[in-house]
Amino acid sequence: DVKVTQSSRYLVKRTGEKVFLECVQDMDHENMFWYRQDPGLGLRLIYFSYDVKMKEKGDIPEGYSVSREKKERFSLILESASTNQTSMYLCASSLIGGDAYEQYFGPGTRLTVT
Amino acid sequence: TQLLEQSPQFLSIQEGENLTVYCNSSSVFSSLQWYRQEPGEGPVLLVTVVTGGEVKKLKRLTFQFGDARKDSSLHITAAQPGDTGLYLCAGGVLMNYGGSQGNLIFGKGTKLSVKP
């Protein structure tokens, strides 16, 4: 079974803090994704990566950056957290090309910025 | 911009009833997936359909991909409280990265509540 783990289930941070969210997958997947999920807005793609050292902006990259130094690890960074970044953050991974882009999700990190 | 619209947004039914959730778009997708998400957890993949007209069954759940690959439905027979959750459809979109790479476009979900 694919396992995607996220470093924290719940986080509370103050406005202006730098926040790191870590994601690790154990199935040798090439692709990794970061989403945020908000009521009424659904899942929105922040950044994705198809390979180590590669990163691409998704639909809402502003205020975020990412790092992928190793294949199994994809980190999301909030450079200066703001209250409008309070959300559920979901990491996902998938195989390259095949399996019709099936993505496997971690349990999520519920981030609150006060 | 490709969009997936799900309906209904909310559904509250009694145990034993049947229900259908719809996922519609004006765009063609290379594949379509259904996920179920429980509160405080990440989405879990239920099924992937790739061929127009395809029907897949997973116990009491029946998934159908439209002939034109623009829409899909999820039908649950004799719903049980354990079916409660957020059902998300997601369409596969080919990305131009020199190979068969794809991302997913997600609908906003149908929140299902099955009361005992």
Side-chain angles (χ1 to χ4, degrees):
Chain A
D1 279 353
V2 176
K3 189 156 188 188
V4 180
T5 56
Q6 295 183 228
S7 49
S8 304
R9 294 298 300 271
Y10 300 94
L11 269 182
V12 180
K13 296 292 182 180
R14 294 198 179 275
T15 301
E17 280 192 82
K18 191 168 186 174
V19 182
F20 293 87
L21 302 181
E22 298 271 311
C23 175
V24 178
Q25 50 94 5
D26 67 357
M27 285 302 292
D28 204 34
H29 282 176
E30 287 81 5
N31 304 338
M32 297 189 76
F33 307 84
W34 275 106
Y35 295 89
R36 63 177 284 178
Q37 185 176 31
D38 301 286
L41 297 177
L43 271 76
R44 293 181 291 168
L45 182 63
I46 305 172
Y47 268 95
F48 62 97
S49 169
Y50 287 159
D51 199 356
V52 177
K53 307 279 187 184
M54 180 265 192
K55 58 186 178 185
E56 285 292 336
K57 293 178 181 179
D59 300 318
I60 52 162
E62 296 78 19
Y64 303 95
S65 63
V66 290
S67 172
R68 193 160 181 208
E69 297 295 320
K70 293 185 177 182
K71 188 176 184 179
E72 68 271 16
R73 189 179 298 267
F74 194 33
S75 302
L76 179 69
I77 303 148
L78 286 66
E79 296 291 342
S80 178
S82 64
T83 54
N84 63 12
Q85 292 179 309
T86 291
S87 186
M88 174 71 143
Y89 289 87
L90 292 162
C91 174
S93 71
S94 73
L95 284 168
I96 193 168
D99 291 310
Y101 321 138
E102 291 176 351
Q103 292 184 15
Y104 296 87
F105 285 84
T109 296
R110 173 73 64 186
L111 173 66
T112 302
V113 183
T114 62
Chain B
T1 304
Q2 292 172 292
L3 291 173
L4 271 170
E5 294 190 10
Q6 285 189 242
S7 61
Q9 193 176 354
F10 300 97
L11 194 53
S12 181
I13 61 172
Q14 292 297 127
E15 183 175 1
E17 291 184 25
N18 301 332
L19 66 113
T20 302
V21 175
Y22 300 93
C23 178
N24 295 294
S25 176
S26 58
S27 303
V28 176
F29 291 98
S30 54
S31 66
L32 201 131
Q33 297 162 26
W34 286 91
Y35 293 80
R36 186 166 78 97
Q37 184 179 20
E38 298 190 18
E41 300 292 334
V44 175
L45 179 66
L46 296 174
V47 78
T48 300
V49 285
V50 294
T51 306
E54 184 175 2
V55 177
K56 280 192 176 179
K57 292 193 175 185
L58 189 68
K59 296 183 182 177
R60 295 175 293 100
L61 279 60
T62 302
F63 305 86
Q64 185 161 9
F65 201 11
D67 291 341
R69 292 189 292 139
K70 293 182 179 182
D71 55 84
S72 181
S73 63
L74 157 60
H75 182 79
I76 301 179
T77 304
Q80 298 177 1
D83 295 325
T84 293
L86 179 69
Y87 288 82
L88 296 162
C89 66
V93 178
L94 188 65
M95 303 295 285
N96 296 321
Y97 283 94
S100 56
Q101 283 287 28
N103 283 5
L104 293 178
I105 304 292
F106 282 86
K108 291 183 180 179
T110 293
K111 194 168 185 179
L112 172 65
S113 174
V114 182
K115 294 179 172 45

